[in-house]
Amino acid sequence: MTPHAQPNCVIRPAKTEDATICGQICYKAFCTLNQSHNFPCDFPSPEVAIGALRMMFSHPCFYCVVAETEGRIIGSNCLDERSTIAGVGPITVDPDTQNRRVGRMLMQAVTDRARESNAAGVRLVQAAFHNRSLSLYAGLGFDVREPLACMQGKTLQRAVPGCNVRNARPEDVEACNALSRRAHGFDRGRELRDGIQDGKALVVEREDRITGYTSSLAFFGHSTGETNADLRALIASVDSFGGPGILVPTRNSALFQWCLANGLRVVQPMTLMSTGLYNEPAGAWLPSISF
Ligand SMILES: CC(C)(COP(=O)(O)OP(=O)(O)OC[C@H]1O[C@@H](n2cnc3c(N)ncnc32)[C@H](O)[C@@H]1OP(=O)(O)O)[C@@H](O)C(=O)NCCC(=O)NCCS
């Protein structure tokens, strides 16, 4: 089907007070999509979606936009600018106005912004079962990079010998940034500091040296380690993961198979996509729902 453009659609920066309507649209858009494919909704309630968008709309390091037609908000999108690489999402359009090029305009707005602010690259995580978003992002120049499994549960193995997991502290950030730079070529220190402030960030130590960290074991958190053992220690240290789950790169067979053997369940398949700079990561890592 060739979509017709939504008439009179304009894109403008999001205001914090837009979070209520945008969160309701976000909840409805994901529930409608996921339920039609027999997947659980990404957000448990409209309030959770509203809270997530309120955080992003008011955060100084996020660039957020809304789509409006005749004064009525019909969608939104966010760009996480906390790192050298910018992360897109969540992007949602009201199901009543989908497939009319509003999503394309919302994507164009954040990729234009990333180019103007000289981001080295832009990344996102896509619901692998969604034909439309896959086509939209690929059509805008995003490359498929990594297949992911969103996984949830509690591991049978509750610790990894030789690995000590503890809460991350502000003085750990530099060691964690060094791990990230070694694995990815850039650091995500601002995200990590947000995770420490929220009490969600953890580090893993081997022989009193930091060998892995997570900003949060959650849909919205990322993790990096020297080896799979470091990630296994982090994953085994919590009883469940925030939101729908953690994102495990399925080409990391050893880690994915360990997760399965330990009782974690696949919630949904997803795909990491990128445009601009991309380095094949060296080390063990879990992306966030942003990248
Ligand atoms: C994903 C979403 C934001 C896209 O917004 P939208 O306004 O519906 O999409 P658009 O009309 O702008 O773009 C759809 C594009 O995909 C194309 N497309 C749709 N289905 C397609 C298919 N099966 N094969 C090939 N192309 C397809 C359309 O032709 C259009 O491309 P074009 O602009 O080059 O013609 C929206 O559908 C949504 O909110 N979905 C639910 C939430 C969601 O999935 N968010 C993204 C998470 S990854």
Side-chain angles (χ1 to χ4, degrees):
M1 175 173 52
T2 307
H4 301 288
Q6 173 70 24
N8 307 323
C9 180
V10 293
I11 306 292
R12 65 158 172 84
K15 296 181 266 197
T16 305
E17 55 267 32
D18 298 326
T20 303
I21 179 72
C22 292
Q24 286 161 355
I25 291 171
C26 180
Y27 176 76
K28 188 170 140 197
F30 278 112
C31 282
T32 306
L33 167 72
N34 289 17
Q35 282 166 6
S36 69
H37 293 266
N38 257 343
F39 287 101
C41 189
D42 290 348
F43 294 98
S45 66
E47 288 67 35
V48 173
I50 292 167
L53 291 188
R54 184 171 294 126
M55 184 285 282
M56 294 183 210
F57 287 8
S58 56
H59 196 296
C61 297
F62 280 71
Y63 175 73
C64 304
V65 287
V66 301
E68 256 180 3
T69 184
E70 287 158 0
R72 184 171 61 92
I73 293 177
I74 53 172
S76 64
N77 197 8
C78 299
L79 190 71
D80 182 347
E81 300 184 311
R82 287 177 291 181
S83 159
T84 309
I85 300 292
V88 179
I91 174 174
T92 50
V93 172
D94 189 320
D96 296 337
T97 45
Q98 284 178 8
N99 218 25
R100 291 183 208 167
R101 298 228 161 103
V102 178
R104 171 173 280 270
M105 290 175 73
L106 286 166
M107 282 300 296
Q108 201 66 59
V110 300
T111 49
D112 286 352
R113 162 76 175 202
R115 194 184 54 252
E116 285 156 15
S117 59
N118 292 321
V122 184
R123 299 184 194 173
L124 57 82
V125 170
Q126 182 261 343
F129 57 83
H130 191 14
N131 297 352
R132 192 184 306 152
S133 64
L134 174 66
S135 311
L136 174 64
Y137 305 148
L140 288 168
F142 282 78
D143 299 314
V144 167
R145 292 298 182 183
E146 197 74 38
L148 307 167
C150 175
M151 302 190 83
Q152 187 54 271
K154 177 179 173 179
T155 54
L156 301 170
Q157 188 184 339
R158 304 304 300 138
V160 172
C163 294
N164 175 45
V165 176
R166 62 164 173 81
N167 287 329
R169 301 187 282 258
E171 56 270 30
D172 299 326
V173 170
E174 200 32 59
C176 298
N177 285 349
L179 282 174
S180 180
R181 283 194 291 268
R182 211 171 83 175
H184 300 286
F186 59 91
D187 70 63
R188 299 175 76 166
R190 283 196 194 142
E191 269 183 86
L192 178 58
R193 283 185 194 283
D194 285 348
I196 292 172
Q197 201 175 327
D198 294 344
K200 304 263 176 67
L202 303 170
V203 294
V204 51
E205 294 171 318
R206 281 187 276 127
E207 294 168 356
D208 293 332
R209 198 170 60 83
I210 291 177
T211 52
Y213 79 93
T214 181
S215 64
S216 173
L217 279 165
F219 211 43
F220 281 95
H222 73 277
S223 311
T224 303
E226 285 184 359
T227 66
N228 279 346
D230 300 306
L231 290 189
R232 291 200 307 267
L234 290 168
I235 292 168
S237 72
V238 297
D239 289 344
S240 68
F241 312 119
I246 52 170
L247 300 173
V248 179
T250 51
R251 291 193 307 156
N252 185 344
S253 303
L255 183 67
F256 182 43
Q257 289 164 9
W258 177 85
C259 290
L260 291 169
N262 268 276
L264 299 189
R265 305 291 292 173
V266 174
V267 178
Q268 60 167 292
M270 308 198 90
T271 306
L272 176 69
M273 301 181 77
S274 77
T275 179
L277 181 74
Y278 189 82
N279 303 326
E280 189 72 25
W285 59 289
L286 306 177
S288 69
I289 186 60
S290 181
F291 68 94

